[in-house]
Structure formats: structure tokens, C-alpha cells
Coordinates of all heavy atoms in Angstrom, one line a residue:
V536 N -7.7 -20.9 12.7 CA -7.1 -20.2 11.5 C -6.1 -19.1 11.9 O -5.1 -18.9 11.3 CB -8.2 -19.7 10.6 CG1 -7.7 -18.8 9.5 CG2 -9.0 -20.8 10.0
L537 N -6.5 -18.4 13.0 CA -5.6 -17.4 13.5 C -4.3 -18.0 13.9 O -3.2 -17.5 13.6 CB -6.2 -16.6 14.6 CG -5.3 -15.6 15.3 CD1 -4.7 -14.6 14.3 CD2 -6.1 -14.8 16.4
A538 N -4.4 -19.1 14.7 CA -3.1 -19.8 15.2 C -2.3 -20.3 14.0 O -1.1 -20.2 14.0 CB -3.5 -20.9 16.2
Q539 N -3.0 -20.8 13.0 CA -2.3 -21.4 11.8 C -1.6 -20.2 11.1 O -0.5 -20.4 10.7 CB -3.3 -22.0 10.9 CG -2.7 -22.6 9.7 CD -3.5 -22.3 8.4 OE1 -4.0 -21.2 8.3 NE2 -3.7 -23.2 7.5
S540 N -2.3 -19.1 11.0 CA -1.6 -18.0 10.3 C -0.4 -17.5 11.0 O 0.6 -17.1 10.4 CB -2.7 -16.8 10.2 OG -3.8 -17.2 9.4
V541 N -0.5 -17.4 12.3 CA 0.7 -17.1 13.2 C 1.8 -18.1 13.0 O 3.0 -17.7 12.8 CB 0.2 -17.0 14.7 CG1 1.5 -16.8 15.5 CG2 -0.7 -15.8 14.9
L542 N 1.5 -19.3 13.0 CA 2.5 -20.4 12.8 C 3.2 -20.2 11.4 O 4.4 -20.2 11.3 CB 1.8 -21.8 12.8 CG 2.7 -22.9 12.4 CD1 3.9 -23.2 13.3 CD2 1.8 -24.2 12.3
F543 N 2.4 -20.0 10.3 CA 3.0 -19.9 9.0 C 3.8 -18.6 8.8 O 4.8 -18.6 8.1 CB 1.9 -19.9 8.0 CG 1.3 -21.3 7.7 CD1 1.4 -22.3 8.7 CD2 0.8 -21.7 6.4 CE1 0.9 -23.6 8.4 CE2 0.4 -23.0 6.2 CZ 0.4 -23.9 7.2
V544 N 3.4 -17.5 9.5 CA 4.2 -16.3 9.5 C 5.6 -16.6 10.2 O 6.6 -16.1 9.7 CB 3.5 -15.2 10.1 CG1 4.4 -14.0 10.4 CG2 2.3 -14.7 9.2
A545 N 5.5 -17.2 11.3 CA 6.7 -17.4 12.2 C 7.6 -18.4 11.8 O 8.9 -18.3 11.9 CB 6.2 -17.6 13.6
I546 N 7.1 -19.6 11.2 CA 8.0 -20.7 11.0 C 9.0 -20.5 9.9 O 10.1 -21.1 9.9 CB 7.1 -22.0 10.7 CG1 7.9 -23.3 11.0 CG2 6.7 -21.9 9.2 CD1 8.1 -23.5 12.5
F547 N 8.7 -19.5 9.0 CA 9.7 -19.2 7.9 C 10.5 -18.0 8.2 O 11.2 -17.5 7.4 CB 9.0 -19.1 6.6 CG 8.4 -20.4 6.1 CD1 7.0 -20.6 6.2 CD2 9.2 -21.4 5.6 CE1 6.5 -21.8 5.7 CE2 8.6 -22.6 5.1 CZ 7.3 -22.8 5.2
Y548 N 10.4 -17.5 9.5 CA 11.1 -16.3 9.8 C 12.6 -16.5 9.9 O 13.4 -15.6 9.7 CB 10.6 -15.8 11.2 CG 11.0 -14.4 11.5 CD1 10.5 -13.3 10.8 CD2 11.9 -14.1 12.6 CE1 10.9 -12.0 11.1 CE2 12.3 -12.9 12.9 CZ 11.8 -11.8 12.2 OH 12.2 -10.5 12.5
G549 N 13.0 -17.7 10.1 CA 14.4 -18.0 10.3 C 15.2 -17.8 9.0 O 16.4 -17.7 9.1
I550 N 14.5 -17.8 7.8 CA 15.3 -17.6 6.6 C 15.9 -16.2 6.6 O 17.0 -16.1 5.9 CB 14.3 -17.8 5.4 CG1 15.2 -18.1 4.1 CG2 13.4 -16.6 5.2 CD1 14.4 -18.5 2.9
S551 N 15.4 -15.3 7.3 CA 16.0 -13.9 7.3 C 17.4 -14.0 8.0 O 18.3 -13.2 7.6 CB 15.1 -13.0 8.1 OG 15.0 -13.3 9.5
I552 N 17.6 -15.0 8.9 CA 18.9 -15.1 9.5 C 19.9 -15.6 8.5 O 21.1 -15.2 8.5 CB 18.9 -16.2 10.7 CG1 17.8 -15.8 11.7 CG2 20.2 -16.3 11.4 CD1 18.0 -14.4 12.3
I553 N 19.5 -16.5 7.6 CA 20.4 -17.0 6.5 C 20.8 -15.8 5.6 O 21.9 -15.7 5.2 CB 19.8 -18.1 5.8 CG1 19.5 -19.3 6.8 CG2 20.7 -18.6 4.7 CD1 18.8 -20.5 6.2
W554 N 19.8 -15.0 5.2 CA 20.1 -13.8 4.4 C 21.1 -12.9 5.1 O 22.0 -12.4 4.5 CB 18.8 -13.0 4.1 CG 17.9 -13.6 3.1 CD1 16.7 -14.3 3.2 CD2 18.2 -13.6 1.6 NE1 16.2 -14.7 2.0 CE2 17.1 -14.3 1.0 CE3 19.2 -13.1 0.9 CZ2 17.0 -14.5 -0.4 CZ3 19.1 -13.3 -0.5 CH2 18.0 -13.9 -1.1
E555 N 20.9 -12.7 6.4 CA 21.8 -11.8 7.1 C 23.2 -12.4 7.2 O 24.2 -11.7 7.2 CB 21.2 -11.6 8.6 CG 20.0 -10.7 8.6 CD 19.4 -10.6 10.0 OE1 20.0 -11.2 10.9 OE2 18.4 -9.8 10.2
R556 N 23.3 -13.7 7.3 CA 24.6 -14.3 7.3 C 25.3 -14.1 5.9 O 26.5 -13.7 5.8 CB 24.4 -15.8 7.5 CG 25.7 -16.6 7.8 CD 26.4 -17.1 6.5 NE 25.6 -17.8 5.6 CZ 25.3 -19.2 5.6 NH1 26.0 -19.9 6.5 NH2 24.6 -19.7 4.7
D557 N 24.5 -14.3 4.8 CA 25.1 -14.1 3.5 C 25.5 -12.6 3.2 O 26.5 -12.4 2.5 CB 24.1 -14.5 2.4 CG 23.8 -16.0 2.5 OD1 24.6 -16.7 3.1 OD2 22.8 -16.4 1.9
L558 N 24.8 -11.7 3.9 CA 25.1 -10.2 3.7 C 26.2 -9.8 4.7 O 26.6 -8.6 4.6 CB 23.9 -9.4 3.9 CG 22.8 -9.6 2.8 CD1 21.5 -8.9 3.1 CD2 23.3 -9.1 1.4
G559 N 26.6 -10.6 5.6 CA 27.6 -10.2 6.6 C 27.0 -9.5 7.8 O 27.8 -9.1 8.7
I560 N 25.7 -9.4 7.9 CA 25.1 -8.7 9.1 C 25.3 -9.5 10.4 O 25.5 -8.9 11.4 CB 23.6 -8.4 8.8 CG1 23.5 -7.5 7.6 CG2 22.9 -7.8 10.0 CD1 22.1 -7.3 7.1
V561 N 25.2 -10.8 10.3 CA 25.3 -11.6 11.5 C 26.6 -11.5 12.1 O 26.8 -11.4 13.4 CB 25.0 -13.1 11.1 CG1 25.5 -14.0 12.3 CG2 23.6 -13.4 10.8
H562 N 27.7 -11.4 11.3 CA 29.0 -11.2 11.9 C 29.1 -9.9 12.7 O 29.8 -9.8 13.7 CB 30.1 -11.2 10.7 CG 30.1 -12.5 10.0 ND1 29.2 -12.8 9.0 CD2 31.0 -13.5 10.1 CE1 29.5 -14.0 8.5 NE2 30.5 -14.5 9.1
K563 N 28.4 -8.8 12.2 CA 28.4 -7.6 13.0 C 27.7 -7.7 14.3 O 28.1 -7.1 15.3 CB 27.8 -6.5 12.1 CG 28.6 -6.1 10.8 CD 27.9 -5.1 10.0 CE 28.7 -4.8 8.7 NZ 28.0 -3.8 7.8
F564 N 26.6 -8.5 14.3 CA 25.9 -8.7 15.5 C 26.7 -9.5 16.5 O 26.8 -9.2 17.7 CB 24.6 -9.5 15.3 CG 23.5 -8.7 14.7 CD1 22.6 -9.2 13.8 CD2 23.2 -7.4 15.1 CE1 21.5 -8.5 13.3 CE2 22.2 -6.6 14.7 CZ 21.3 -7.2 13.7
L565 N 27.5 -10.4 16.0 CA 28.3 -11.3 16.9 C 29.4 -10.6 17.6 O 29.9 -11.0 18.6 CB 28.8 -12.5 16.1 CG 27.7 -13.5 15.7 CD1 28.3 -14.6 14.8 CD2 27.0 -14.1 16.9
V566 N 30.0 -9.5 16.9 CA 31.1 -8.8 17.5 C 30.5 -7.6 18.4 O 31.3 -6.9 19.0 CB 32.1 -8.3 16.5 CG1 32.7 -9.4 15.7 CG2 31.4 -7.3 15.5
S567 N 29.2 -7.4 18.4 CA 28.7 -6.4 19.2 C 28.5 -6.8 20.7 O 28.5 -8.0 20.9 CB 27.3 -6.0 18.7 OG 26.3 -7.0 18.9
P568 N 28.3 -5.9 21.6 CA 28.2 -6.3 23.0 C 26.8 -6.8 23.4 O 26.5 -7.1 24.5 CB 28.5 -5.0 23.8 CG 28.2 -3.9 22.8 CD 28.4 -4.4 21.5
V569 N 25.9 -6.9 22.4 CA 24.5 -7.3 22.7 C 24.5 -8.8 23.0 O 25.1 -9.6 22.2 CB 23.6 -7.1 21.4 CG1 22.2 -7.5 21.7 CG2 23.7 -5.6 21.1
P570 N 23.9 -9.2 24.1 CA 23.8 -10.7 24.4 C 23.1 -11.4 23.4 O 22.2 -10.9 22.7 CB 23.1 -10.7 25.8 CG 23.2 -9.3 26.3 CD 23.3 -8.4 25.2

């Protein structure tokens, strides 16, 4: 159950990247010197 809870928390974490793309945050990351 602990492993399942970790999986369910993590597997939908990628949606935050789509939100950041829509808000323009990803573009700021991409022009930064951070690898």
C-alpha cells in the first residue's frame, strides 16, 4: 500500500509540467543556465 501510494502521488506529477508550459514558466527554465 505504501508503494502504491508513492506510485499514485508520483505518476500524476507530470501534469505540473503542462501547467508550467501554459503559464510560460518552462520557457524561463529553458533559457536559464541550469542543465
Side-chain angles (χ1 to χ4, degrees):
V536 169
L537 174 54
Q539 179 224 42
S540 300
V541 170
L542 169 66
F543 280 30
V544 166
I546 203 68
F547 292 105
Y548 192 68
I550 199 170
S551 64
I552 306 299
I553 300 176
W554 281 106
E555 289 177 356
R556 191 274 309 271
D557 295 342
L558 295 172
I560 298 173
V561 167
H562 297 78
K563 295 177 181 178
F564 281 145
L565 291 176
V566 298
S567 71
V569 180

